[in-house]
Amino acid sequence: MNTSDFLVVGAGIYGATAALELRRREHSVTLIDPGPLPHPLAASTDISKVVRMEYGQDRQYMQMVDAAIDGFVVWNAELGETLYHNTGVLMLTQQPMEQVAYNWESYKLLLAEGHRPERLDSAAIAQRYPAWNAARYVDGFYSPRGGYAESGRVVSALQALAQREGVSLHEGQTADALLGTAGRVTGVRTREGATFHAGQVLLAAGAWTQLLLPELQPVMKATGHPVFHLKPKNSALFTPPHFAVSTADVSRTGWYGFPFHPREGVVKVANHGVGVRLHPEQDERVVYASDIAHLRRFLADTFPALADGELVYTRRCLYCDTLDEHFWIDRHPEREGLSVSTGGSGHGFKFAPVLGPLAADVVEGKANPWAAKFRWRALAAGTHGEEASRFHGKG
Ligand SMILES: Cc1cc2nc3c(=O)[nH]c(=O)nc-3n(C[C@H](O)[C@H](O)[C@H](O)COP(=O)(O)OP(=O)(O)OC[C@H]3O[C@@H](n4cnc5c(N)ncnc54)[C@H](O)[C@@H]3O)c2cc1C
């Protein structure tokens, strides 16, 4: 009989961090995932994810990432390899920054929080970051605290660490139905025919979560977003200190990029925009010719030295998009024994080191200063996304 205090469904970053933390709080924990792990279609499985404190006027997100960066540094030591790279973050704009709310508000809040971002004009951009088209990008700042995490390697290392610390990890198990009564959930049955029983079930299945709990479909959806890997002719131009994690007027274009990846030998570029709505299991995840044409126009305009770089890999990856773009981490209001930790909305990975303790506090019913933002909430159909860096389309 598979019985434990906590059953965590989904071993991406939301599930793996929760399982590890609950185990460290001396609960018996079971973690299930269809695998192989890290799952190739999981959002967490990638060569890099941005870690930035810049969230416009949102002080809570800035403080959470500030704490998460300390956590990543601890993980670098604990996991025995550098998986978080503090390259700093470049936040550049095509107009004077005062006219771009996301960048201007982030800049002011960084200063108010005691950080030291360096404002940059065209001349400074051209001199320090020659890959950029400084005629187009005329203002912005460099934030020395931030960078990227090698997300797939982080989640893989945490899955292994959780197992070493006693989490019972079942790869090859796909939750299919919740067990119990309407008022109390007692476990899950899997597609593979197994049953897992637990005092508490935590659903952390990313973009698939709404399939397991259809009542969440009105407040969250799966959206697909393109990712591109390019081989630069001159990798030195895209290597720190000449380059950093970069946002190219992101709130108005969606575009962002990473330095030349030391292990993979590529420059990753992606778009944090509206995306296309997809069914996590039934729809194909395709990057269209129009996406690649859009990419080439962006590169020609912003990173001329990469405009004709060889495109060696593309992927359409899924966000678990809540309507307001804030995470969903809470106990079910009516069903005992059931909790949810999901809703990364395209910006959740950077919080990895603080996600586990936050989810564990919530499922244990303990107070957490950050939890209210992610509570179970009613969201009307027309709710607008609030994640400040996200490009929400023209007009
Ligand atoms: C293109 C793209 C770019 C992004 N860039 C960034 C970034 O730069 N910075 C940042 O902070 N965030 C970024 N994000 C967001 C971040 O990746 C996600 O918020 C985070 O990884 C979500 O983690 P998760 O654990 O919720 O989901 P996932 O990583 O998707 O994991 C869900 C897991 O659940 C499992 N599962 C699914 N169904 C079942 C089932 N029925 N039973 C059991 N297990 C199941 C899956 O196999 C999977 O392993 C990006 C996301 C995308 C898609």
Side-chain angles (χ1 to χ4, degrees):
M1 277 282 278
N2 296 309
T3 301
S4 50
D5 299 333
F6 287 91
L7 170 64
V8 180
V9 175
I13 201 66
Y14 279 66
T17 52
L20 179 61
E21 180 65 21
L22 288 164
R23 181 69 201 121
R24 287 183 167 173
R25 295 183 185 194
E26 296 179 359
H27 297 291
S28 59
V29 180
T30 298
L31 177 61
I32 67 172
D33 195 293
L37 292 177
H39 195 288
L41 294 180
S44 303
T45 310
D46 205 333
I47 64 170
S48 56
K49 300 284 182 185
V50 171
V51 178
R52 59 170 162 94
M53 292 189 292
E54 294 75 21
Y55 271 91
Q57 293 175 324
D58 197 314
R59 193 181 296 273
Q60 176 176 328
Y61 276 144
M62 183 176 284
Q63 292 172 343
M64 286 177 72
V65 180
D66 196 14
I69 290 172
D70 290 341
F72 275 117
V73 172
V74 169
W75 279 353
N76 277 353
E78 188 180 2
L79 300 174
E81 51 181 331
T82 302
L83 298 177
Y84 165 68
H85 304 266
N86 197 86
T87 66
V89 182
L90 272 173
M91 295 267 164
L92 303 187
T93 57
Q94 297 177 30
Q95 285 179 307
M97 202 167 48
E98 290 80 354
Q99 296 167 20
V100 186
Y102 167 60
N103 294 67
W104 184 233
E105 298 299 339
S106 297
Y107 181 71
K108 290 191 294 178
L109 193 56
L110 282 169
L111 292 170
E113 290 278 302
H115 297 288
R116 287 285 158 268
E118 300 163 53
R119 189 149 186 190
L120 302 167
D121 61 12
S122 260
I125 294 166
Q127 195 262 325
R128 286 173 59 176
Y129 305 106
W132 284 82
N133 174 1
R136 162 75 70 181
Y137 292 86
V138 296
D139 202 349
F141 60 90
Y142 171 72
S143 181
R145 187 168 166 78
Y148 70 92
E150 297 188 52
S151 61
R153 296 177 77 92
V154 169
V155 79
S156 182
L158 292 175
Q159 289 159 349
L161 180 61
Q163 231 180 343
R164 284 200 301 279
E165 297 200 5
V167 169
S168 172
L169 176 58
H170 296 256
E171 199 171 335
Q173 294 293 335
T174 313
D176 192 38
L178 298 175
L179 301 176
T181 64
R184 176 145 197 82
V185 170
T186 56
V188 304
R189 190 181 56 247
T190 69
R191 258 179 230 161
E192 295 75 16
T195 56
F196 292 87
H197 298 278
Q200 286 260 357
V201 173
L202 175 63
L203 299 183
W208 292 268
T209 305
Q210 34 130 354
L211 302 183
L212 287 165
L213 207 53
E215 65 182 271
L216 289 175
Q217 287 171 7
V219 293
M220 58 181 72
K221 56 186 186 294
T223 55
H225 302 262
V227 172
F228 310 92
H229 294 176
L230 297 117
K231 275 205 179 304
K233 291 202 171 69
N234 177 356
S235 61
L237 268 180
F238 296 92
T239 300
H242 310 301
F243 204 74
V245 166
S246 293
T247 66
D249 217 345
V250 65
S251 65
R252 303 186 313 157
T253 70
W255 290 112
Y256 64 99
F258 296 80
F260 185 70
H261 197 289
R263 251 183 265 275
E264 307 293 333
V266 296
V267 170
K268 172 184 164 183
V269 175
N271 193 283
H272 187 42
V274 177
V276 286
R277 188 161 186 168
L278 291 173
H279 185 285
E281 291 184 341
Q282 291 160 7
D283 291 334
E284 269 205 290
R285 304 173 184 207
V286 182
V287 172
Y288 304 106
S290 57
D291 296 306
I292 295 170
H294 186 199
L295 168 77
R296 293 291 181 194
R297 288 195 301 277
F298 162 69
L299 295 174
D301 207 30
T302 301
F303 302 127
L306 199 55
D308 57 359
E310 185 192 353
L311 184 59
V312 292
Y313 173 83
T314 63
R315 175 192 189 198
R316 188 172 293 277
C317 164
L318 295 190
Y319 293 4
C320 177
D321 242 342
T322 60
L323 297 187
D324 58 8
E325 298 167 352
H326 299 305
F327 314 145
W328 202 279
I329 305 175
D330 204 352
R331 298 160 72 125
H332 193 289
E334 279 115 40
R335 304 182 74 178
E336 284 281 318
L338 179 63
S339 301
V340 168
S341 183
T342 193
S345 303
H347 68 109
F349 195 93
K350 64 179 73 63
F351 299 90
V354 299
L355 283 177
L358 171 57
D361 283 347
V362 167
V363 296
E364 288 183 325
K366 288 187 179 141
N368 182 295
W370 294 327
K373 195 183 190 77
F374 314 119
R375 71 198 178 287
W376 211 282
R377 53 201 185 276
L379 297 175
T383 299
H384 289 293
E386 298 175 359
E387 205 273 282
S389 78
R390 180 109 173 236
F391 173 55
H392 292 103
K394 296 247 175 298

